[in-house]
Amino acid sequence: MSTLSMIYSVIYQFGDNFAYLVLASLGLAVIFGMMGVINLAHGEFIMCGAYVTITMNKLGISLPLAMILGALAAGCAGVIIERLVVRHLYDRLYDSVVATWAISLIVQQGMLLLAGPSLEGLSTPFDSFTLGEYSFSIYRALLPLFAIAILTILYWLFFHTNYGVCARATIQNARMASCLGLKTDRIYMLTFALGAGLAGLAGAIYAPTLAAVPTMGGNFIVQAFVSVVVGGTNVLVGTIPAAAVLGTIQTGLNSWYGQLAGQIGLLVTAVLVIRLLPNGVSSLFTRSR
């Protein structure tokens, strides 16, 4: 039983790392892959989703509904930022990086002034179960399923809805799409809102497991950027293999050498992928097709 529990412990850690990488990177990958904007305020959208979820749940709203409200709040914040700032910076990559970084700092300090250094978190839903000498959280064990379900919904959105057709046409050739009558400006706005909403959903899902602080987005941003670099710009094709590879590396290094080694392993992997596969692992699948 001890061997079985140890094996399940490794599988559990891999699933936890896999879900974290997928959920943390989805919003960033959508915005970068479709719009070419490097959003350094990604962590603040995650923080927004977590704060709104915790606040709504403490007001008596059920946790699933509070999570949905957290994602919607982040999406609405994304619309505001896109309309006021980002839409003026398309095709100006470095300017958008500086602008979103400034937004990140402003939001962090604003939340510190408004909400204080920390916000009391939520208790983790469901119970835990034991296997041998190890104890596991049922909620965290379900997170990989949540990540795959969100990816499935995203796939349906891009391939089975009118918005998805228009968005993919805009990605391939924005000028031609505009000439054919598509309102690319509105599509960019909706896409940025979608990416912000996905980031807010990640924060909402992890709200019961983390301490809510104004700088909590920084805990997600490294894994998010590494996952996007390794996965490439095709979010639907590259996210799962990238998260699987990175999750395996991080789980192994965490188990053998500790969390610091796991973080270093992720960064080294990103450097190697940039050197060997500049377009990420998704380029392998798109080439084969």
Side-chain angles (χ1 to χ4, degrees):
M1 178 61 72
S2 177
T3 303
L4 179 61
S5 61
M6 187 175 298
I7 293 173
Y8 182 78
S9 175
V10 173
I11 296 173
Y12 174 87
Q13 292 176 29
F14 167 78
D16 193 32
N17 290 329
F18 172 83
Y20 192 91
L21 290 166
V22 170
L23 294 172
S25 64
L26 267 183
L28 186 67
V30 166
I31 292 174
F32 176 65
M34 295 186 63
M35 304 171 64
V37 173
I38 299 176
N39 177 27
L40 292 185
H42 177 71
E44 280 54 59
F45 290 122
I46 293 175
M47 182 263 292
C48 174
Y51 267 71
V52 172
T53 298
I54 293 172
T55 303
M56 293 296 103
N57 187 249
K58 288 184 176 182
L59 292 176
I61 297 175
S62 64
L63 183 58
L65 182 56
M67 289 179 175
I68 294 173
L69 292 175
L72 290 176
C76 292
V79 170
I80 295 172
I81 290 174
E82 195 277 340
R83 291 288 87 185
L84 294 178
V85 180
V86 176
R87 75 185 183 97
H88 302 290
L89 303 175
Y90 293 135
D91 300 323
R92 295 165 59 185
L93 179 63
Y94 299 114
D95 292 344
S96 66
V97 169
V98 173
T100 54
W101 177 59
I103 291 170
S104 170
L105 296 178
I106 292 170
V107 172
Q108 283 186 24
Q109 297 304 313
M111 287 303 299
L112 182 62
L113 293 173
L114 291 174
S118 64
L119 181 66
E120 186 178 351
L122 303 174
S123 58
T124 305
F126 311 123
D127 295 323
S128 59
F129 64 96
T130 57
L131 190 62
E133 64 268 29
Y134 297 101
S135 178
F136 305 97
S137 166
I138 295 176
Y139 181 76
R140 296 188 78 97
L142 293 174
L143 290 181
L145 300 180
F146 294 164
I148 293 173
I150 293 171
L151 267 174
T152 302
I153 294 172
L154 202 59
Y155 179 87
W156 171 83
L157 179 66
F158 280 113
F159 285 95
H160 296 281
T161 66
N162 184 59
Y163 162 75
V165 173
C166 296
R168 286 185 289 120
T170 303
I171 295 171
Q172 292 179 9
N173 194 321
R175 291 185 178 179
M176 181 62 71
S178 179
C179 291
L180 293 174
L182 293 182
K183 296 181 179 179
T184 55
D185 187 60
R186 180 178 298 177
I187 292 172
Y188 281 141
M189 180 190 70
L190 293 175
T191 301
F192 197 91
L194 174 63
L198 288 170
L201 182 60
I205 290 174
Y206 278 98
T209 67
L210 298 172
V213 295
T215 58
M216 64 177 294
N219 298 328
F220 291 82
I221 201 71
V222 173
Q223 284 88 341
F225 272 100
V226 168
S227 299
V228 171
V229 168
V230 174
T233 57
N234 193 324
V235 57
L236 299 176
V237 175
T239 300
I240 286 183
V245 171
L246 293 171
T248 302
I249 293 172
Q250 187 174 21
T251 301
L253 291 176
N254 285 351
S255 301
W256 296 329
Y257 303 108
Q259 291 187 356
L260 179 59
Q263 295 288 333
I264 294 173
L266 292 182
L267 297 175
V268 171
T269 303
V271 171
L272 292 175
V273 169
I274 291 173
R275 178 66 181 85
L276 301 175
L277 294 170
N279 295 320
V281 297
S282 62
S283 62
L284 298 174
F285 300 95
T286 52
R287 277 184 206 164
S288 63
R289 289 190 301 174

